[in-house]
Structures are given as structure tokens and as C-alpha cells.
Amino acid sequence: MSAAGADPYAVAGFLAALLPLVATPGASLALLVRHVSEGGRRRAVPVALGTVTGLYVHAGLAAAGLSALVASSGRAFAAVRLAGACYLVGLGLWTWYGATRAAHAVGSARACAQAPAPARARSRHPRLPRPVRGGNSPYAQALLGNVLNPKAASIYLTLVPQFVAPGRPFAGQALVLASAHAALMVAWLGLWAGLVGPATALLRRPRARVALARGTAAVLVTLGLRTAAAT
């Protein structure tokens, strides 16, 4: 083991402790399912990159001592939790709004298709609105969802210190553990992208897209409300 790196056994223990947390469905998985179903497996890449970037942000804050400062201040930590909750709820509501618009467009398209031929000739066939992205790219959504996620912050506030050696530089060990966390997260999201990918033809159907968007919105709002309730 290098002077700045983490012990391999510590990394293995850290990953074993992380696995149940990573396997718990969260905002990153909800965003991945949504974007992969809309744009195919390639859309998993920016979601995974945004999530991984967020992990390194948390590791950097922990290394700089800012996470410990937030942990020592109940008000500051509560503010972080509320900010994350507000973002998740807002993203969920915006996603639901986009699903509602799509549902209305589907109804209009069906009515136009069933209308008599002269009426169809006079009526312009409505197009489905483009999926609402919540005002951000998939990368930005995943990044903000992770940076503002109290669960991700708590990992670097409470779990990481249990797997670092006191006599070695914290920054180097935090970087190694964050890289292991990132690799595990990419593998998990990649597995889900592979499972969702073959179903994209079905999920691209208007009704399926609306149902999936509303399901994603419900998950995001539930996560946000649960986070807010825990403050």
C-alpha cells in the first residue's frame, strides 16, 4: 500500500458496506431509467458521469474538511438536506408536468386519427412534445441530484472515516475510496442500462413513455419528501 493510498482490505470493506446503499433505488437510477427509455443506452453515459462527478465532489469536500464543518453544524446540514429535497421535488413535479403534456398530445393524436378523412385533411396532425428535461442536461441532473443528495453526503461524513488510516493523508485515501465507489456505481447503473435498453422499443410508445415519466416523477417526489421529513 502506498503512503497516500487506502489499504486494499479497507477498500474491500468499504465496498461491502456500500453495496446495500448503492442497491437501494434512488434519484440516479430513476434518472437513468427515464433517459435510457427515451434515448437508448447511450443516454446512460451522461447520467453515470454526472453521478460519478458528484461522488468526487463529496470526496473533495470531505478532504477539504468542509463536510466535517457541515456535520458539526446542525443548521448547515439541515440546509443541505432541504436543498436536496427541494431539487428532487422540483425535478419530479417538472417531470410530471411533461408527462401530462405528453398525455394530452397522445389523446389529441388519437382523436385526429379517428376523425373522418375530410377532418383529418383539415387538421394538422399534432406532434408529441419533446420530453421535458427539467431545464438541464442528463449530466447536470445527475450531478445536482448526487451533490444535493444527503445519502451520498452521509457516506463521506460517516462511512469513509471508518475505512481510513489515521496516520496517512486523508485526501489520498478519500480519493481511492471515492474511485472504488464510482466504479461500483458505474457497474450498477450499467447493469440497469443493459436491462432497460432492450425494452426501449416498448418504452418509446406514447402510453409507456407517459407512464414511465409519471413513475419517475413519483419516485423523485417521494425521495425529496422523505429527505425533507428526515431533517
Side-chain angles (χ1 to χ4, degrees), residues 6-228:
D7 187 282
Y9 294 103
V11 174
F14 178 65
L15 290 176
L18 271 181
L19 187 58
L21 298 176
V22 171
T24 302
S28 295
L29 181 57
L31 289 171
L32 178 100
V33 172
R34 171 194 168 192
H35 288 294
V36 169
S37 66
E38 292 176 353
R41 294 181 185 178
R42 66 182 184 279
R43 296 291 295 279
V45 175
V47 174
L49 288 177
T51 301
V52 167
T53 304
L55 296 180
Y56 281 111
V57 169
H58 287 297
L61 291 175
L66 295 179
S67 293
L69 177 62
V70 171
S72 66
S73 172
R75 291 183 178 180
F77 190 63
V80 171
R81 294 181 69 91
L82 285 175
C86 290
Y87 176 77
L88 291 175
V89 171
L91 182 59
L93 293 177
W94 192 248
T95 301
W96 185 277
Y97 169 72
T100 301
R101 289 181 58 207
H104 290 162
V106 169
S108 299
R110 186 175 295 110
C112 180
Q114 295 174 352
R120 289 201 305 267
R122 294 192 302 266
S123 174
R124 183 179 180 180
H125 195 286
R127 293 183 179 179
L128 289 179
R130 298 182 66 181
V132 177
R133 308 298 184 191
N136 297 309
S137 67
Y139 174 84
Q141 288 180 358
L143 172 60
L144 289 175
N146 190 274
V147 169
L148 298 176
N149 185 358
K151 184 177 77 171
S154 66
I155 289 174
Y156 290 88
L157 287 169
T158 61
L159 191 60
V160 165
Q162 300 179 31
F163 294 93
V164 297
R168 298 182 180 275
F170 179 82
Q173 296 181 83
L175 177 62
V176 173
L177 294 176
S179 299
H181 188 183
L184 180 62
M185 199 68 196
V186 168
W188 179 250
L189 293 177
L191 173 63
W192 272 100
L195 294 175
V196 175
T200 52
L202 173 64
L203 293 174
R204 283 175 181 170
R205 295 179 180 177
R207 283 188 175 182
R209 279 173 49 186
V210 170
L212 179 64
R214 285 179 171 171
T216 301
V219 170
L220 293 172
V221 171
T222 300
L223 289 171
L225 293 177
R226 187 176 66 179
T227 298

